[in-house]
Amino acid sequence: MALPLNLTIKVGGYLLKQKLRRRDKFPLIVEIEPLFACNLACNGCGKIQHPASVLKQRMPVEQVIAAVEECGAPMVSLAGGEPLMHPKIDEMTGELLKRGKFVVLCTNAVLLPKHLHKFKPHRNFAWMVHIDGLRERHDESVSKVGVFDQAVEAIRQAKAAGFAVYTNSTFFNNDSPQDVIDVLDYLNDDLKVDMLQLSPGYAYEKAPDQEHFLGVEQTRQLFRKAFAEGRRKKWRFNHSELYLDFLEGKADFECTPWGIPSYSLKGWQRPCYLMADGYATSYQELLDTTDWEKYGRGKDPRCENCMAHCGYEPTAVLATIGSLKQSLRAVSPR
């Protein structure tokens, strides 16, 4: 991944350690969902479809720390739901930073201005703001008018306060290559966010909108056209070059679902955060008791159209470090 130097060194050392230990399954990033509740009802997300009793629950800070330390991943993504609705999200973040983790806090940014003062800029911390398109497109995606403007203002405030800000954009089959270009140009050139992350929409089983998820060939065509004419090289992506190749159809990989495991109020989600085939009580149990061979294209129909970074970015990263050519490509200037 295109990471800051301090994180590149951290992740490089971690990967070397796993290789020396001859471990074939280990996490690169752990996604923690300390709550499922959210202040928005996005069309492509099924999180708030949980029962009201579950939506009221908040994971204790100690439980979050224990899960992160158990799996040992060097990076932590605090997600949800909307993490800023958790009353101790600032304490949670601080405790993870004390332990040397690189923390990305995912948010729709509506509550960010209200809570920004609780956080301090840190070399190992970044906000990840969800932006699915320019004003009309984004507001349609989150089913609420005005959210795009709120998110943009929150990004500006966070940047002005000295924080690193990343964005995550999910695209669907009603997005054109020009839609992708327009929002990435705006985020990269106008808002000047530090890193851009993107993902083809995955068909969550409980998502309200089931008609607009991308197929594999649709995904490849969308990003091949959006990345054309050298545009890909100018955008500051939070992705490995090989994962971007994968989105364009220039490379193909098998999924590595254990590389970005998900831990929530229900436990370690099996096999990944996009599918829920039961839960394990520990990361080791997740590794040992999940039948990994039954997942992936050609094995499980739910995997057929998935090209999400949670499964394929770890594969691309491992392929990068396993190739001198790709390693040099990863560190060369764009």
Side-chain angles (χ1 to χ4, degrees), residues 70-98:
E70 182 216 342
C71 78
M75 294 180 280
V76 182
S77 172
L78 294 176
E82 171 51 58
L84 289 177
M85 292 176 65
H86 194 295
K88 295 189 176 181
I89 191 65
D90 53 327
E91 179 184 338
M92 190 185 300
T93 302
E95 290 297 324
L96 291 170
L97 291 173
K98 286 180 186 177

Short mmCIF file of all heavy atoms in Angstrom, two decimals, residues 70-98:
data_model
loop_
_atom_site.label_atom_id
_atom_site.label_comp_id
_atom_site.label_asym_id
_atom_site.label_seq_id
_atom_site.Cartn_x
_atom_site.Cartn_y
_atom_site.Cartn_z
N GLU A 70 -4.60 -9.51 20.64
CA GLU A 70 -4.61 -10.95 20.36
C GLU A 70 -4.23 -11.25 18.92
O GLU A 70 -3.41 -12.12 18.65
CB GLU A 70 -6.00 -11.52 20.63
CG GLU A 70 -6.07 -13.02 20.42
CD GLU A 70 -7.38 -13.52 19.82
OE1 GLU A 70 -8.37 -12.79 19.87
OE2 GLU A 70 -7.37 -14.64 19.27
N CYS A 71 -4.80 -10.52 17.96
CA CYS A 71 -4.50 -10.84 16.56
C CYS A 71 -3.14 -10.28 16.12
O CYS A 71 -2.51 -10.83 15.23
CB CYS A 71 -5.61 -10.35 15.65
SG CYS A 71 -5.60 -8.59 15.28
N GLY A 72 -2.69 -9.19 16.74
CA GLY A 72 -1.35 -8.68 16.48
C GLY A 72 -1.17 -7.84 15.24
O GLY A 72 -0.04 -7.48 14.89
N ALA A 73 -2.25 -7.45 14.56
CA ALA A 73 -2.13 -6.64 13.35
C ALA A 73 -1.51 -5.28 13.67
O ALA A 73 -1.82 -4.68 14.70
CB ALA A 73 -3.49 -6.44 12.71
N PRO A 74 -0.64 -4.75 12.80
CA PRO A 74 -0.01 -3.45 13.06
C PRO A 74 -0.93 -2.26 12.80
O PRO A 74 -0.67 -1.17 13.27
CB PRO A 74 1.16 -3.43 12.08
CG PRO A 74 0.71 -4.30 10.94
CD PRO A 74 -0.12 -5.38 11.57
N MET A 75 -2.03 -2.49 12.05
CA MET A 75 -2.97 -1.41 11.71
C MET A 75 -4.38 -1.76 12.19
O MET A 75 -4.78 -2.93 12.13
CB MET A 75 -2.98 -1.17 10.20
CG MET A 75 -1.68 -0.62 9.66
SD MET A 75 -1.74 -0.34 7.86
CE MET A 75 -1.45 -2.00 7.26
N VAL A 76 -5.10 -0.75 12.64
CA VAL A 76 -6.46 -0.94 13.15
C VAL A 76 -7.40 0.04 12.44
O VAL A 76 -7.12 1.24 12.37
CB VAL A 76 -6.54 -0.70 14.67
CG1 VAL A 76 -7.97 -0.94 15.17
CG2 VAL A 76 -5.55 -1.58 15.42
N SER A 77 -8.50 -0.50 11.94
CA SER A 77 -9.56 0.32 11.36
C SER A 77 -10.74 0.31 12.32
O SER A 77 -11.32 -0.75 12.58
CB SER A 77 -9.98 -0.22 10.00
OG SER A 77 -11.12 0.45 9.51
N LEU A 78 -11.07 1.46 12.90
CA LEU A 78 -12.23 1.58 13.78
C LEU A 78 -13.42 1.96 12.93
O LEU A 78 -13.48 3.05 12.36
CB LEU A 78 -11.97 2.63 14.87
CG LEU A 78 -10.87 2.29 15.87
CD1 LEU A 78 -10.65 3.46 16.83
CD2 LEU A 78 -11.20 1.02 16.65
N ALA A 79 -14.37 1.04 12.82
CA ALA A 79 -15.48 1.23 11.90
C ALA A 79 -16.81 1.07 12.64
O ALA A 79 -16.91 1.27 13.83
CB ALA A 79 -15.36 0.25 10.74
N GLY A 80 -17.84 0.70 11.93
CA GLY A 80 -19.17 0.57 12.53
C GLY A 80 -20.18 0.20 11.46
O GLY A 80 -19.84 -0.47 10.49
N GLY A 81 -21.37 0.77 11.57
CA GLY A 81 -21.86 1.88 12.34
C GLY A 81 -21.03 3.16 12.22
O GLY A 81 -20.15 3.29 11.40
N GLU A 82 -21.37 4.10 13.07
CA GLU A 82 -20.65 5.36 13.14
C GLU A 82 -19.87 5.40 14.46
O GLU A 82 -20.45 5.58 15.53
CB GLU A 82 -21.61 6.54 13.06
CG GLU A 82 -21.00 7.90 13.33
CD GLU A 82 -19.74 8.16 12.51
OE1 GLU A 82 -19.83 8.10 11.26
OE2 GLU A 82 -18.69 8.42 13.12
N PRO A 83 -18.53 5.23 14.39
CA PRO A 83 -17.72 5.16 15.61
C PRO A 83 -17.82 6.39 16.52
O PRO A 83 -17.67 6.26 17.73
CB PRO A 83 -16.30 5.00 15.06
CG PRO A 83 -16.47 4.43 13.71
CD PRO A 83 -17.75 5.00 13.18
N LEU A 84 -18.08 7.56 15.94
CA LEU A 84 -18.15 8.77 16.76
C LEU A 84 -19.40 8.79 17.65
O LEU A 84 -19.54 9.67 18.51
CB LEU A 84 -18.09 10.02 15.89
CG LEU A 84 -16.72 10.30 15.26
CD1 LEU A 84 -16.77 11.51 14.36
CD2 LEU A 84 -15.65 10.47 16.33
N MET A 85 -20.30 7.82 17.49
CA MET A 85 -21.43 7.67 18.40
C MET A 85 -21.04 6.88 19.65
O MET A 85 -21.83 6.80 20.60
CB MET A 85 -22.60 6.99 17.68
CG MET A 85 -23.24 7.83 16.59
SD MET A 85 -24.55 6.95 15.69
CE MET A 85 -25.77 6.71 16.99
N HIS A 86 -19.85 6.29 19.64
CA HIS A 86 -19.37 5.55 20.82
C HIS A 86 -18.83 6.55 21.83
O HIS A 86 -17.96 7.37 21.52
CB HIS A 86 -18.27 4.57 20.42
CG HIS A 86 -17.94 3.55 21.46
ND1 HIS A 86 -17.40 3.87 22.69
CD2 HIS A 86 -18.09 2.19 21.46
CE1 HIS A 86 -17.22 2.76 23.39
NE2 HIS A 86 -17.65 1.74 22.67
N PRO A 87 -19.32 6.55 23.08
CA PRO A 87 -18.92 7.56 24.06
C PRO A 87 -17.45 7.53 24.45
O PRO A 87 -16.94 8.52 24.99
CB PRO A 87 -19.82 7.26 25.27
CG PRO A 87 -20.19 5.82 25.11
CD PRO A 87 -20.30 5.59 23.63
N LYS A 88 -16.76 6.43 24.17
CA LYS A 88 -15.35 6.32 24.55
C LYS A 88 -14.44 6.10 23.35
O LYS A 88 -13.36 5.55 23.48
CB LYS A 88 -15.17 5.19 25.57
CG LYS A 88 -15.87 5.46 26.91
CD LYS A 88 -15.49 4.44 27.96
CE LYS A 88 -16.11 4.80 29.31
NZ LYS A 88 -15.74 3.84 30.38
N ILE A 89 -14.86 6.57 22.19
CA ILE A 89 -14.06 6.35 20.99
C ILE A 89 -12.72 7.07 21.07
O ILE A 89 -11.71 6.57 20.57
CB ILE A 89 -14.84 6.78 19.72
CG1 ILE A 89 -14.13 6.31 18.46
CG2 ILE A 89 -15.09 8.29 19.70
CD1 ILE A 89 -14.06 4.81 18.30
N ASP A 90 -12.66 8.23 21.72
CA ASP A 90 -11.39 8.94 21.86
C ASP A 90 -10.44 8.19 22.79
O ASP A 90 -9.24 8.08 22.51
CB ASP A 90 -11.61 10.37 22.36
CG ASP A 90 -12.44 10.43 23.63
OD1 ASP A 90 -13.33 9.58 23.81
OD2 ASP A 90 -12.19 11.33 24.47
N GLU A 91 -10.98 7.64 23.88
CA GLU A 91 -10.16 6.84 24.79
C GLU A 91 -9.65 5.58 24.09
O GLU A 91 -8.49 5.19 24.23
CB GLU A 91 -10.98 6.46 26.02
CG GLU A 91 -10.23 5.60 27.02
CD GLU A 91 -11.11 5.16 28.18
OE1 GLU A 91 -12.13 5.82 28.45
OE2 GLU A 91 -10.76 4.14 28.83
N MET A 92 -10.53 4.95 23.33
CA MET A 92 -10.18 3.74 22.58
C MET A 92 -9.02 4.03 21.62
O MET A 92 -8.04 3.28 21.55
CB MET A 92 -11.41 3.27 21.80
CG MET A 92 -11.31 1.93 21.15
SD MET A 92 -12.82 1.62 20.17
CE MET A 92 -14.10 1.73 21.43
N THR A 93 -9.14 5.12 20.88
CA THR A 93 -8.10 5.51 19.93
C THR A 93 -6.78 5.77 20.64
O THR A 93 -5.71 5.31 20.20
CB THR A 93 -8.54 6.77 19.16
OG1 THR A 93 -9.78 6.51 18.47
CG2 THR A 93 -7.48 7.19 18.14
N GLY A 94 -6.83 6.50 21.75
CA GLY A 94 -5.62 6.82 22.50
C GLY A 94 -4.91 5.58 23.01
O GLY A 94 -3.67 5.49 22.96
N GLU A 95 -5.67 4.61 23.49
CA GLU A 95 -5.07 3.38 24.02
C GLU A 95 -4.39 2.58 22.91
O GLU A 95 -3.33 1.98 23.11
CB GLU A 95 -6.12 2.53 24.71
CG GLU A 95 -6.64 3.11 26.02
CD GLU A 95 -5.53 3.22 27.07
OE1 GLU A 95 -4.65 2.33 27.12
OE2 GLU A 95 -5.54 4.21 27.83
N LEU A 96 -4.98 2.57 21.74
CA LEU A 96 -4.37 1.85 20.61
C LEU A 96 -3.09 2.54 20.15
O LEU A 96 -2.09 1.89 19.82
CB LEU A 96 -5.37 1.75 19.45
CG LEU A 96 -6.57 0.84 19.70
CD1 LEU A 96 -7.61 1.01 18.60
CD2 LEU A 96 -6.14 -0.62 19.77
N LEU A 97 -3.10 3.87 20.13
CA LEU A 97 -1.90 4.61 19.75
C LEU A 97 -0.77 4.39 20.76
O LEU A 97 0.41 4.28 20.38
CB LEU A 97 -2.22 6.10 19.64
CG LEU A 97 -3.13 6.51 18.47
CD1 LEU A 97 -3.52 7.97 18.56
CD2 LEU A 97 -2.45 6.22 17.13
N LYS A 98 -1.10 4.30 22.03
CA LYS A 98 -0.09 4.02 23.07
C LYS A 98 0.60 2.68 22.82
O LYS A 98 1.76 2.50 23.19
CB LYS A 98 -0.75 3.98 24.45
CG LYS A 98 -1.14 5.33 25.02
CD LYS A 98 -1.78 5.14 26.39
CE LYS A 98 -2.32 6.44 26.95
NZ LYS A 98 -3.02 6.22 28.25
#
